[in-house]
Amino acid sequence: MYTLQIEHGIKDFAMWKDAFDRDPVNRTASGVLAHRISRPVDDPHYVVVELDLARRGQAEELLAKLRQQVWNSPAAAPALEGAPKTRILESAG
């Protein structure tokens, strides 16, 4: 199991969640098996998203799609503040 972890600042959570729910990269077709959205208790303008995938290659392809189709488009990512911080994690337990 691999997890694409994404962290970034946001302007407004409701606006960000609406854009996330529109799913411009078709998470299911990209291989996402589950996702989690978290927010720091002391920062309402920050989100952490974890997308679980079966294969590392799927995580790498999804990350490339996000960079090319979503994060560089104000229409697709209207609430994004700054550049997302990402990493691909491998399940170790």
Side-chain angles (χ1 to χ4, degrees):
M1 178 74 63
Y2 293 85
T3 300
L4 173 55
Q5 185 180 63
I6 304 161
E7 300 182 30
H8 57 81
I10 56 172
K11 296 174 189 172
D12 175 85
F13 182 75
M15 181 190 305
W16 177 87
K17 183 71 164 68
D18 285 344
F20 181 86
D21 289 344
R22 283 193 297 273
D23 195 10
V25 292
N26 193 344
R27 288 184 294 274
T28 300
S30 296
V32 174
L33 304 170
H35 73 269
R36 289 170 301 288
I37 299 169
S38 303
R39 297 168 67 190
V41 296
D42 61 348
D43 189 352
H45 292 100
Y46 200 82
V47 293
V48 178
V49 179
E50 295 179 316
L51 306 168
D52 295 334
L53 302 107
R55 296 186 314 275
R56 179 179 174 177
Q58 291 172 309
E60 292 168 342
E61 289 173 15
L62 180 55
L63 179 56
K65 273 191 206 178
L66 287 165
R67 287 179 174 150
Q68 294 167 1
Q69 299 174 16
V70 179
W71 296 335
N72 64 356
S73 167
L80 190 65
E81 283 273 284
K85 178 176 151 184
T86 65
R87 69 180 115 201
I88 296 174
L89 307 172
E90 182 177 17
S91 179

